[in-house]
PDB file of all heavy atoms in Angstrom:
ATOM      1  N   GLU A 369     -46.036  31.551 -36.435  1.00 94.00           N
ATOM      2  CA  GLU A 369     -47.014  32.494 -36.991  1.00 94.00           C
ATOM      3  C   GLU A 369     -47.752  31.883 -38.189  1.00 94.00           C
ATOM      4  O   GLU A 369     -47.255  30.961 -38.842  1.00 94.00           O
ATOM      5  CB  GLU A 369     -46.307  33.786 -37.433  1.00 94.00           C
ATOM      6  CG  GLU A 369     -45.777  34.605 -36.260  1.00 94.00           C
ATOM      7  CD  GLU A 369     -45.186  35.931 -36.704  1.00 94.00           C
ATOM      8  OE1 GLU A 369     -45.169  36.210 -37.917  1.00 94.00           O
ATOM      9  OE2 GLU A 369     -44.740  36.698 -35.833  1.00 94.00           O
ATOM     10  N   TYR A 370     -48.931  32.436 -38.466  1.00 95.00           N
ATOM     11  CA  TYR A 370     -49.729  32.040 -39.631  1.00 95.00           C
ATOM     12  C   TYR A 370     -49.456  33.020 -40.783  1.00 95.00           C
ATOM     13  O   TYR A 370     -49.023  34.150 -40.538  1.00 95.00           O
ATOM     14  CB  TYR A 370     -51.215  32.024 -39.276  1.00 95.00           C
ATOM     15  CG  TYR A 370     -51.582  30.900 -38.328  1.00 95.00           C
ATOM     16  CD1 TYR A 370     -51.471  31.064 -36.945  1.00 95.00           C
ATOM     17  CD2 TYR A 370     -52.009  29.665 -38.819  1.00 95.00           C
ATOM     18  CE1 TYR A 370     -51.783  30.026 -36.066  1.00 95.00           C
ATOM     19  CE2 TYR A 370     -52.326  28.616 -37.954  1.00 95.00           C
ATOM     20  CZ  TYR A 370     -52.202  28.805 -36.599  1.00 95.00           C
ATOM     21  OH  TYR A 370     -52.503  27.778 -35.742  1.00 95.00           O
ATOM     22  N   PRO A 371     -49.694  32.605 -42.033  1.00 92.00           N
ATOM     23  CA  PRO A 371     -49.387  33.486 -43.172  1.00 92.00           C
ATOM     24  C   PRO A 371     -49.982  34.888 -43.060  1.00 92.00           C
ATOM     25  O   PRO A 371     -49.318  35.874 -43.407  1.00 92.00           O
ATOM     26  CB  PRO A 371     -49.968  32.724 -44.367  1.00 92.00           C
ATOM     27  CG  PRO A 371     -49.881  31.283 -43.978  1.00 92.00           C
ATOM     28  CD  PRO A 371     -50.137  31.271 -42.489  1.00 92.00           C
ATOM     29  N   HIS A 372     -51.225  35.001 -42.543  1.00 92.00           N
ATOM     30  CA  HIS A 372     -51.864  36.325 -42.489  1.00 92.00           C
ATOM     31  C   HIS A 372     -51.194  37.262 -41.488  1.00 92.00           C
ATOM     32  O   HIS A 372     -51.419  38.479 -41.530  1.00 92.00           O
ATOM     33  CB  HIS A 372     -53.371  36.184 -42.146  1.00 92.00           C
ATOM     34  CG  HIS A 372     -53.638  35.829 -40.727  1.00 92.00           C
ATOM     35  ND1 HIS A 372     -53.714  34.508 -40.295  1.00 92.00           N
ATOM     36  CD2 HIS A 372     -53.840  36.603 -39.625  1.00 92.00           C
ATOM     37  CE1 HIS A 372     -53.952  34.494 -39.004  1.00 92.00           C
ATOM     38  NE2 HIS A 372     -54.030  35.750 -38.558  1.00 92.00           N
ATOM     39  N   GLN A 373     -50.369  36.702 -40.591  1.00 93.00           N
ATOM     40  CA  GLN A 373     -49.676  37.540 -39.607  1.00 93.00           C
ATOM     41  C   GLN A 373     -48.378  38.119 -40.146  1.00 93.00           C
ATOM     42  O   GLN A 373     -47.721  38.883 -39.458  1.00 93.00           O
ATOM     43  CB  GLN A 373     -49.390  36.704 -38.347  1.00 93.00           C
ATOM     44  CG  GLN A 373     -50.650  36.262 -37.608  1.00 93.00           C
ATOM     45  CD  GLN A 373     -50.320  35.353 -36.438  1.00 93.00           C
ATOM     46  OE1 GLN A 373     -49.932  34.200 -36.610  1.00 93.00           O
ATOM     47  NE2 GLN A 373     -50.464  35.871 -35.226  1.00 93.00           N
ATOM     48  N   MET A 374     -48.025  37.776 -41.382  1.00 91.00           N
ATOM     49  CA  MET A 374     -46.754  38.215 -41.962  1.00 91.00           C
ATOM     50  C   MET A 374     -46.987  39.177 -43.128  1.00 91.00           C
ATOM     51  O   MET A 374     -48.018  39.115 -43.794  1.00 91.00           O
ATOM     52  CB  MET A 374     -45.954  37.008 -42.463  1.00 91.00           C
ATOM     53  CG  MET A 374     -45.586  36.008 -41.388  1.00 91.00           C
ATOM     54  SD  MET A 374     -44.562  34.679 -42.060  1.00 91.00           S
ATOM     55  CE  MET A 374     -43.159  34.768 -40.970  1.00 91.00           C
ATOM     56  N   SER A 375     -46.024  40.025 -43.365  1.00 88.00           N
ATOM     57  CA  SER A 375     -46.082  40.931 -44.525  1.00 88.00           C
ATOM     58  C   SER A 375     -45.813  40.145 -45.812  1.00 88.00           C
ATOM     59  O   SER A 375     -45.348  38.997 -45.766  1.00 88.00           O
ATOM     60  CB  SER A 375     -45.030  42.029 -44.380  1.00 88.00           C
ATOM     61  OG  SER A 375     -43.724  41.452 -44.494  1.00 88.00           O
ATOM     62  N   GLY A 376     -46.085  40.764 -46.959  1.00 84.00           N
ATOM     63  CA  GLY A 376     -45.838  40.103 -48.251  1.00 84.00           C
ATOM     64  C   GLY A 376     -44.389  39.702 -48.430  1.00 84.00           C
ATOM     65  O   GLY A 376     -44.089  38.601 -48.897  1.00 84.00           O
ATOM     66  N   GLY A 377     -43.471  40.580 -48.026  1.00 86.00           N
ATOM     67  CA  GLY A 377     -42.047  40.270 -48.152  1.00 86.00           C
ATOM     68  C   GLY A 377     -41.636  39.104 -47.275  1.00 86.00           C
ATOM     69  O   GLY A 377     -40.859  38.239 -47.689  1.00 86.00           O
ATOM     70  N   MET A 378     -42.181  39.047 -46.044  1.00 89.00           N
ATOM     71  CA  MET A 378     -41.865  37.945 -45.135  1.00 89.00           C
ATOM     72  C   MET A 378     -42.452  36.625 -45.636  1.00 89.00           C
ATOM     73  O   MET A 378     -41.833  35.566 -45.523  1.00 89.00           O
ATOM     74  CB  MET A 378     -42.367  38.244 -43.721  1.00 89.00           C
ATOM     75  CG  MET A 378     -41.480  39.197 -42.957  1.00 89.00           C
ATOM     76  SD  MET A 378     -39.812  38.525 -42.722  1.00 89.00           S
ATOM     77  CE  MET A 378     -38.882  39.998 -42.399  1.00 89.00           C
ATOM     78  N   ARG A 379     -43.683  36.684 -46.196  1.00 90.00           N
ATOM     79  CA  ARG A 379     -44.275  35.467 -46.757  1.00 90.00           C
ATOM     80  C   ARG A 379     -43.435  34.933 -47.919  1.00 90.00           C
ATOM     81  O   ARG A 379     -43.269  33.715 -48.068  1.00 90.00           O
ATOM     82  CB  ARG A 379     -45.709  35.738 -47.229  1.00 90.00           C
ATOM     83  CG  ARG A 379     -46.708  35.876 -46.105  1.00 90.00           C
ATOM     84  CD  ARG A 379     -48.136  35.783 -46.599  1.00 90.00           C
ATOM     85  NE  ARG A 379     -48.499  36.882 -47.493  1.00 90.00           N
ATOM     86  CZ  ARG A 379     -49.095  38.009 -47.111  1.00 90.00           C
ATOM     87  NH1 ARG A 379     -49.387  38.198 -45.833  1.00 90.00           N
ATOM     88  NH2 ARG A 379     -49.412  38.933 -47.981  1.00 90.00           N
ATOM     89  N   GLN A 380     -42.898  35.849 -48.730  1.00 86.00           N
ATOM     90  CA  GLN A 380     -42.055  35.393 -49.836  1.00 86.00           C
ATOM     91  C   GLN A 380     -40.762  34.776 -49.311  1.00 86.00           C
ATOM     92  O   GLN A 380     -40.258  33.803 -49.875  1.00 86.00           O
ATOM     93  CB  GLN A 380     -41.762  36.556 -50.800  1.00 86.00           C
ATOM     94  CG  GLN A 380     -41.204  36.127 -52.151  1.00 86.00           C
ATOM     95  CD  GLN A 380     -42.102  35.166 -52.898  1.00 86.00           C
ATOM     96  OE1 GLN A 380     -42.120  33.969 -52.610  1.00 86.00           O
ATOM     97  NE2 GLN A 380     -42.855  35.679 -53.852  1.00 86.00           N
ATOM     98  N   ARG A 381     -40.238  35.294 -48.211  1.00 89.00           N
ATOM     99  CA  ARG A 381     -39.054  34.690 -47.584  1.00 89.00           C
ATOM    100  C   ARG A 381     -39.367  33.280 -47.070  1.00 89.00           C
ATOM    101  O   ARG A 381     -38.523  32.392 -47.134  1.00 89.00           O
ATOM    102  CB  ARG A 381     -38.532  35.571 -46.442  1.00 89.00           C
ATOM    103  CG  ARG A 381     -37.815  36.831 -46.937  1.00 89.00           C
ATOM    104  CD  ARG A 381     -37.529  37.809 -45.805  1.00 89.00           C
ATOM    105  NE  ARG A 381     -37.096  39.082 -46.337  1.00 89.00           N
ATOM    106  CZ  ARG A 381     -35.819  39.464 -46.475  1.00 89.00           C
ATOM    107  NH1 ARG A 381     -34.851  38.657 -46.100  1.00 89.00           N
ATOM    108  NH2 ARG A 381     -35.519  40.642 -46.979  1.00 89.00           N
ATOM    109  N   VAL A 382     -40.589  33.094 -46.545  1.00 92.00           N
ATOM    110  CA  VAL A 382     -41.014  31.756 -46.113  1.00 92.00           C
ATOM    111  C   VAL A 382     -41.030  30.806 -47.304  1.00 92.00           C
ATOM    112  O   VAL A 382     -40.571  29.657 -47.216  1.00 92.00           O
ATOM    113  CB  VAL A 382     -42.410  31.801 -45.439  1.00 92.00           C
ATOM    114  CG1 VAL A 382     -42.948  30.386 -45.200  1.00 92.00           C
ATOM    115  CG2 VAL A 382     -42.344  32.562 -44.123  1.00 92.00           C
ATOM    116  N   MET A 383     -41.549  31.281 -48.458  1.00 89.00           N
ATOM    117  CA  MET A 383     -41.586  30.449 -49.663  1.00 89.00           C
ATOM    118  C   MET A 383     -40.176  30.061 -50.106  1.00 89.00           C
ATOM    119  O   MET A 383     -39.930  28.929 -50.533  1.00 89.00           O
ATOM    120  CB  MET A 383     -42.291  31.193 -50.808  1.00 89.00           C
ATOM    121  CG  MET A 383     -43.778  31.387 -50.598  1.00 89.00           C
ATOM    122  SD  MET A 383     -44.702  29.845 -50.494  1.00 89.00           S
ATOM    123  CE  MET A 383     -44.426  29.173 -52.118  1.00 89.00           C
ATOM    124  N   ILE A 384     -39.223  30.994 -49.985  1.00 87.00           N
ATOM    125  CA  ILE A 384     -37.837  30.701 -50.347  1.00 87.00           C
ATOM    126  C   ILE A 384     -37.234  29.713 -49.344  1.00 87.00           C
ATOM    127  O   ILE A 384     -36.513  28.790 -49.717  1.00 87.00           O
ATOM    128  CB  ILE A 384     -36.997  32.004 -50.436  1.00 87.00           C
ATOM    129  CG1 ILE A 384     -37.548  32.900 -51.557  1.00 87.00           C
ATOM    130  CG2 ILE A 384     -35.523  31.686 -50.692  1.00 87.00           C
ATOM    131  CD1 ILE A 384     -36.963  34.301 -51.577  1.00 87.00           C
ATOM    132  N   ALA A 385     -37.559  29.894 -48.052  1.00 89.00           N
ATOM    133  CA  ALA A 385     -37.097  28.949 -47.019  1.00 89.00           C
ATOM    134  C   ALA A 385     -37.619  27.548 -47.306  1.00 89.00           C
ATOM    135  O   ALA A 385     -36.901  26.550 -47.159  1.00 89.00           O
ATOM    136  CB  ALA A 385     -37.560  29.417 -45.633  1.00 89.00           C
ATOM    137  N   MET A 386     -38.887  27.458 -47.741  1.00 89.00           N
ATOM    138  CA  MET A 386     -39.490  26.172 -48.075  1.00 89.00           C
ATOM    139  C   MET A 386     -38.760  25.536 -49.259  1.00 89.00           C
ATOM    140  O   MET A 386     -38.497  24.333 -49.268  1.00 89.00           O
ATOM    141  CB  MET A 386     -40.975  26.377 -48.413  1.00 89.00           C
ATOM    142  CG  MET A 386     -41.796  25.107 -48.463  1.00 89.00           C
ATOM    143  SD  MET A 386     -43.528  25.429 -48.902  1.00 89.00           S
ATOM    144  CE  MET A 386     -44.096  26.281 -47.449  1.00 89.00           C
ATOM    145  N   ALA A 387     -38.428  26.369 -50.252  1.00 88.00           N
ATOM    146  CA  ALA A 387     -37.720  25.870 -51.434  1.00 88.00           C
ATOM    147  C   ALA A 387     -36.308  25.395 -51.093  1.00 88.00           C
ATOM    148  O   ALA A 387     -35.782  24.469 -51.716  1.00 88.00           O
ATOM    149  CB  ALA A 387     -37.656  26.963 -52.506  1.00 88.00           C
ATOM    150  N   LEU A 388     -35.701  26.022 -50.074  1.00 85.00           N
ATOM    151  CA  LEU A 388     -34.315  25.693 -49.703  1.00 85.00           C
ATOM    152  C   LEU A 388     -34.202  24.571 -48.673  1.00 85.00           C
ATOM    153  O   LEU A 388     -33.116  24.043 -48.453  1.00 85.00           O
ATOM    154  CB  LEU A 388     -33.630  26.939 -49.121  1.00 85.00           C
ATOM    155  CG  LEU A 388     -33.219  28.041 -50.093  1.00 85.00           C
ATOM    156  CD1 LEU A 388     -32.836  29.282 -49.311  1.00 85.00           C
ATOM    157  CD2 LEU A 388     -32.058  27.587 -50.959  1.00 85.00           C
ATOM    158  N   ALA A 389     -35.321  24.213 -48.059  1.00 85.00           N
ATOM    159  CA  ALA A 389     -35.290  23.337 -46.875  1.00 85.00           C
ATOM    160  C   ALA A 389     -34.593  22.008 -47.121  1.00 85.00           C
ATOM    161  O   ALA A 389     -33.959  21.455 -46.220  1.00 85.00           O
ATOM    162  CB  ALA A 389     -36.709  23.100 -46.360  1.00 85.00           C
ATOM    163  N   CYS A 390     -34.699  21.469 -48.338  1.00 85.00           N
ATOM    164  CA  CYS A 390     -34.080  20.171 -48.630  1.00 85.00           C
ATOM    165  C   CYS A 390     -32.816  20.302 -49.492  1.00 85.00           C
ATOM    166  O   CYS A 390     -32.401  19.338 -50.144  1.00 85.00           O
ATOM    167  CB  CYS A 390     -35.099  19.253 -49.312  1.00 85.00           C
ATOM    168  SG  CYS A 390     -36.459  18.790 -48.230  1.00 85.00           S
ATOM    169  N   HIS A 391     -32.238  21.510 -49.502  1.00 87.00           N
ATOM    170  CA  HIS A 391     -30.989  21.766 -50.211  1.00 87.00           C
ATOM    171  C   HIS A 391     -31.051  21.346 -51.689  1.00 87.00           C
ATOM    172  O   HIS A 391     -30.296  20.472 -52.128  1.00 87.00           O
ATOM    173  CB  HIS A 391     -29.802  21.061 -49.517  1.00 87.00           C
ATOM    174  CG  HIS A 391     -29.726  21.346 -48.059  1.00 87.00           C
ATOM    175  ND1 HIS A 391     -29.600  20.359 -47.111  1.00 87.00           N
ATOM    176  CD2 HIS A 391     -29.803  22.515 -47.373  1.00 87.00           C
ATOM    177  CE1 HIS A 391     -29.571  20.908 -45.913  1.00 87.00           C
ATOM    178  NE2 HIS A 391     -29.698  22.214 -46.043  1.00 87.00           N
ATOM    179  N   PRO A 392     -31.958  21.953 -52.469  1.00 89.00           N
ATOM    180  CA  PRO A 392     -32.108  21.567 -53.875  1.00 89.00           C
ATOM    181  C   PRO A 392     -30.918  21.992 -54.718  1.00 89.00           C
ATOM    182  O   PRO A 392     -30.185  22.917 -54.354  1.00 89.00           O
ATOM    183  CB  PRO A 392     -33.363  22.339 -54.310  1.00 89.00           C
ATOM    184  CG  PRO A 392     -33.336  23.567 -53.463  1.00 89.00           C
ATOM    185  CD  PRO A 392     -32.807  23.107 -52.127  1.00 89.00           C
ATOM    186  N   ARG A 393     -30.744  21.326 -55.852  1.00 92.00           N
ATOM    187  CA  ARG A 393     -29.702  21.717 -56.804  1.00 92.00           C
ATOM    188  C   ARG A 393     -30.212  22.740 -57.802  1.00 92.00           C
ATOM    189  O   ARG A 393     -29.443  23.480 -58.390  1.00 92.00           O
ATOM    190  CB  ARG A 393     -29.178  20.479 -57.532  1.00 92.00           C
ATOM    191  CG  ARG A 393     -28.538  19.462 -56.586  1.00 92.00           C
ATOM    192  CD  ARG A 393     -27.642  18.502 -57.333  1.00 92.00           C
ATOM    193  NE  ARG A 393     -26.483  19.174 -57.893  1.00 92.00           N
ATOM    194  CZ  ARG A 393     -25.724  18.683 -58.868  1.00 92.00           C
ATOM    195  NH1 ARG A 393     -26.026  17.517 -59.406  1.00 92.00           N
ATOM    196  NH2 ARG A 393     -24.684  19.335 -59.319  1.00 92.00           N
ATOM    197  N   LEU A 394     -31.545  22.778 -58.000  1.00 94.00           N
ATOM    198  CA  LEU A 394     -32.151  23.731 -58.929  1.00 94.00           C
ATOM    199  C   LEU A 394     -33.381  24.353 -58.285  1.00 94.00           C
ATOM    200  O   LEU A 394     -34.247  23.642 -57.776  1.00 94.00           O
ATOM    201  CB  LEU A 394     -32.556  23.032 -60.239  1.00 94.00           C
ATOM    202  CG  LEU A 394     -33.341  23.869 -61.252  1.00 94.00           C
ATOM    203  CD1 LEU A 394     -32.483  25.006 -61.812  1.00 94.00           C
ATOM    204  CD2 LEU A 394     -33.868  22.997 -62.394  1.00 94.00           C
ATOM    205  N   MET A 395     -33.437  25.689 -58.310  1.00 92.00           N
ATOM    206  CA  MET A 395     -34.629  26.404 -57.862  1.00 92.00           C
ATOM    207  C   MET A 395     -35.272  27.089 -59.064  1.00 92.00           C
ATOM    208  O   MET A 395     -34.584  27.743 -59.849  1.00 92.00           O
ATOM    209  CB  MET A 395     -34.280  27.456 -56.810  1.00 92.00           C
ATOM    210  CG  MET A 395     -33.997  26.898 -55.440  1.00 92.00           C
ATOM    211  SD  MET A 395     -34.009  28.191 -54.162  1.00 92.00           S
ATOM    212  CE  MET A 395     -32.591  29.164 -54.612  1.00 92.00           C
ATOM    213  N   ILE A 396     -36.580  26.928 -59.198  1.00 94.00           N
ATOM    214  CA  ILE A 396     -37.327  27.613 -60.244  1.00 94.00           C
ATOM    215  C   ILE A 396     -38.120  28.729 -59.577  1.00 94.00           C
ATOM    216  O   ILE A 396     -38.964  28.469 -58.717  1.00 94.00           O
ATOM    217  CB  ILE A 396     -38.271  26.646 -60.988  1.00 94.00           C
ATOM    218  CG1 ILE A 396     -37.466  25.521 -61.645  1.00 94.00           C
ATOM    219  CG2 ILE A 396     -39.096  27.397 -62.035  1.00 94.00           C
ATOM    220  CD1 ILE A 396     -38.318  24.435 -62.287  1.00 94.00           C
ATOM    221  N   ALA A 397     -37.828  29.966 -59.940  1.00 91.00           N
ATOM    222  CA  ALA A 397     -38.498  31.129 -59.347  1.00 91.00           C
ATOM    223  C   ALA A 397     -39.416  31.727 -60.398  1.00 91.00           C
ATOM    224  O   ALA A 397     -38.949  32.310 -61.378  1.00 91.00           O
ATOM    225  CB  ALA A 397     -37.461  32.151 -58.878  1.00 91.00           C
ATOM    226  N   ASP A 398     -40.728  31.562 -60.218  1.00 89.00           N
ATOM    227  CA  ASP A 398     -41.711  32.028 -61.202  1.00 89.00           C
ATOM    228  C   ASP A 398     -42.266  33.389 -60.776  1.00 89.00           C
ATOM    229  O   ASP A 398     -43.160  33.481 -59.957  1.00 89.00           O
ATOM    230  CB  ASP A 398     -42.848  31.000 -61.331  1.00 89.00           C
ATOM    231  CG  ASP A 398     -43.781  31.322 -62.495  1.00 89.00           C
ATOM    232  OD1 ASP A 398     -43.518  32.295 -63.227  1.00 89.00           O
ATOM    233  OD2 ASP A 398     -44.773  30.595 -62.675  1.00 89.00           O
ATOM    234  N   GLU A 399     -41.682  34.453 -61.335  1.00 87.00           N
ATOM    235  CA  GLU A 399     -42.078  35.833 -61.014  1.00 87.00           C
ATOM    236  C   GLU A 399     -42.185  36.042 -59.496  1.00 87.00           C
ATOM    237  O   GLU A 399     -43.224  36.483 -58.992  1.00 87.00           O
ATOM    238  CB  GLU A 399     -43.416  36.168 -61.691  1.00 87.00           C
ATOM    239  CG  GLU A 399     -43.438  35.874 -63.177  1.00 87.00           C
ATOM    240  CD  GLU A 399     -43.590  37.114 -64.048  1.00 87.00           C
ATOM    241  OE1 GLU A 399     -43.360  38.231 -63.549  1.00 87.00           O
ATOM    242  OE2 GLU A 399     -43.914  36.942 -65.224  1.00 87.00           O
ATOM    243  N   PRO A 400     -41.120  35.742 -58.730  1.00 83.00           N
ATOM    244  CA  PRO A 400     -41.248  35.733 -57.265  1.00 83.00           C
ATOM    245  C   PRO A 400     -41.377  37.113 -56.637  1.00 83.00           C
ATOM    246  O   PRO A 400     -41.683  37.212 -55.459  1.00 83.00           O
ATOM    247  CB  PRO A 400     -39.948  35.054 -56.813  1.00 83.00           C
ATOM    248  CG  PRO A 400     -38.970  35.396 -57.886  1.00 83.00           C
ATOM    249  CD  PRO A 400     -39.751  35.403 -59.163  1.00 83.00           C
ATOM    250  N   THR A 401     -41.138  38.190 -57.403  1.00 80.00           N
ATOM    251  CA  THR A 401     -41.184  39.528 -56.794  1.00 80.00           C
ATOM    252  C   THR A 401     -42.291  40.406 -57.373  1.00 80.00           C
ATOM    253  O   THR A 401     -42.407  41.572 -57.011  1.00 80.00           O
ATOM    254  CB  THR A 401     -39.829  40.251 -56.993  1.00 80.00           C
ATOM    255  OG1 THR A 401     -39.549  40.342 -58.409  1.00 80.00           O
ATOM    256  CG2 THR A 401     -38.703  39.503 -56.318  1.00 80.00           C
TER     257      THR A 401
END
């Protein structure tokens, strides 16, 4: 799917999935909600 096909909550989950994809040791969440 493309970003416009997803709700705001689902798009934010995609952003979190992107942040987690390489198994980081530190995540910086800048006003994510």
Side-chain angles (χ1 to χ4, degrees):
E369 291 185 359
Y370 290 87
H372 73 271
Q373 295 176 288
M374 299 183 125
S375 68
M378 282 298 159
R379 286 195 296 266
Q380 195 58 280
R381 286 170 191 264
V382 171
M383 291 298 297
I384 297 170
M386 194 181 291
L388 285 168
C390 293
H391 309 130
R393 298 199 66 198
L394 174 66
M395 284 195 293
I396 300 174
D398 189 3
E399 308 245 17
T401 58

